[in-house]
Amino acid sequence: MSESRNDLFGMINSQNIDTSLINDVLSKSSAGAIISDKVMEISDIINEIGNKYKKKIEELNTLNIIVAGKTGVGKSTLINSVFKGNLAQTGVGKPVTQSTKAITKPGVPLKVYDTKGFELGKDAQEKVKVDIAKLIKDGNKNYNINEMIHCIWYCISTVSNRIEPEEIEWLRELTAIDGVKQVPVMIILTQAFSKKNADIMRKMIMNEDLNVIGVIPILAQDYEINEEYVAKAYGLEELIQLMSKELPNKLQATIQNVQIASINL
């Protein structure tokens, strides 16, 4: 590969542009001549690729996800570890209901509905459940894939090594609601430092026979146990693979674009 093309790829990577679009530009004879003859600056070629990338993103359908669970279970860390753009920041998001805010970022075909903490009492738990059901109902009104809720992540921390009975009951009631039961629900066992304990919790939840499509233990980021041992992140790719398997074909290109957790898509 020529020095000019090496420089081109380096600049593109530094700007976080999808390199799969490079071939669309460089495969053209005119683009090849541009590089070999250095008639056009590399930055101009990057702009051309960037414009194609922007157009591609604008054509993608929007992926809509609800994320629920207690405060402190690591929802923000999970969101930021799965998706591009460092989406989840404390206090950021447009209020949608009293218990839910929508997290978006310009140029990213993704909307994450983040619910308030589950532990706020029985009334608050009921409010979250009603709001989730309403989000799903409203999203289905126009049969528009860009407005529909496509899946729900319910996050449970493995740190306590136990599952609260009220969480199981809440999930059972939620997934029995008309409309909600058609939406794929995934239980995410977050902060899963111990794979052994996480697997025990996973089996306990599976035995509850809930209407969920999967229970996935996840350690979203590497965690330093001590100076000699670091627990490596795991489970993110499994989550993305499950979403890719269960969600509609019209969302596959979107999933591939917005996620950073799997190199196999």
Side-chain angles (χ1 to χ4, degrees):
M1 184 180 294
S2 68
E3 182 178 349
S4 295
R5 190 170 293 200
N6 274 323
D7 291 342
L8 172 63
F9 274 74
M11 293 178 69
I12 289 169
N13 287 332
S14 70
Q15 295 188 23
N16 197 31
I17 295 175
D18 186 350
T19 55
S20 67
L21 295 177
I22 297 175
N23 289 335
D24 186 46
V25 175
L26 299 189
S27 62
K28 299 176 181 177
S29 59
S30 59
I34 286 169
I35 291 177
S36 61
D37 297 337
K38 300 184 179 179
V39 175
M40 183 182 289
E41 294 292 336
I42 292 176
S43 59
D44 294 327
I45 303 173
I46 290 176
N47 287 335
E48 183 179 350
I49 295 172
N51 290 334
K52 288 181 178 291
Y53 181 67
K54 181 179 179 181
K55 182 178 180 181
K56 175 185 175 183
I57 297 304
E58 290 173 348
E59 293 173 350
L60 293 176
N61 293 311
T62 299
L63 174 63
N64 300 308
I65 299 176
I66 294 175
V67 181
K70 290 183 176 181
T71 300
V73 299
K75 291 185 292 181
S76 294
T77 300
L78 176 65
I79 293 168
N80 288 336
S81 298
V82 172
F83 299 118
K84 295 177 181 177
N86 199 34
L87 281 172
Q89 300 177 23
T90 303
V92 174
K94 179 181 178 182
V96 177
T97 69
Q98 290 183 349
S99 66
T100 308
K101 63 182 180 181
I103 303 172
T104 60
K105 188 170 183 177
V108 180
L110 171 70
K111 182 177 288 187
V112 177
Y113 293 91
D114 186 14
T115 66
K116 284 186 177 180
F118 177 85
E119 73 287 347
L120 298 176
K122 187 70 175 178
D123 290 343
Q125 294 170 14
E126 185 65 23
K127 178 62 177 171
V128 171
K129 184 167 57 182
V130 170
D131 282 349
I132 289 175
K134 185 177 186 303
L135 282 172
I136 293 171
K137 182 179 179 180
D138 290 348
N140 289 338
K141 281 182 179 178
N142 299 319
Y143 301 97
N144 185 339
I145 192 169
N146 294 302
E147 299 174 359
M148 295 176 175
I149 299 299
H150 303 118
C151 66
I152 300 171
W153 295 354
Y154 188 81
C155 300
I156 301 175
S157 174
T158 65
V159 173
S160 64
N161 291 327
R162 66 188 302 268
I163 305 162
E164 299 292 342
E166 59 264 30
E167 288 187 272
I168 296 297
E169 187 58 28
W170 186 88
L171 281 165
R172 200 182 303 280
E173 292 174 359
L174 175 71
T175 55
I177 297 173
D178 285 342
V180 177
K181 57 188 176 184
Q182 281 78 39
V183 177
V185 177
M186 307 167 192
I187 296 178
I188 316 298
L189 300 179
T190 60
Q191 303 167 335
F193 307 109
S194 168
K195 291 185 178 182
K196 179 180 178 180
N197 290 343
D199 190 56
I200 291 172
M201 290 183 67
R202 183 187 66 81
K203 291 176 179 176
M204 290 173 60
I205 293 173
M206 294 297 290
N207 288 337
E208 293 289 342
D209 196 27
L210 297 170
N211 182 25
V212 299
I213 64 170
V215 181
I216 305 175
I218 288 179
L219 182 59
Q221 297 179 352
D222 293 350
Y223 184 80
E224 183 177 341
I225 305 297
N226 52 49
E227 294 181 355
E228 297 180 352
Y229 181 71
V230 175
K232 303 298 289 184
Y234 70 94
L236 295 171
E237 185 161 351
E238 183 180 353
L239 172 59
I240 290 299
Q241 296 290 346
L242 181 60
M243 289 178 62
S244 182
K245 176 184 176 183
E246 296 292 335
L247 298 190
N249 289 335
K250 289 184 178 181
L251 290 171
Q252 296 306 310
T254 303
I255 296 172
Q256 181 178 4
N257 179 269
V258 300
Q259 65 87 27
I260 56 173
S262 175
I263 62 174
N264 294 319
L265 287 185

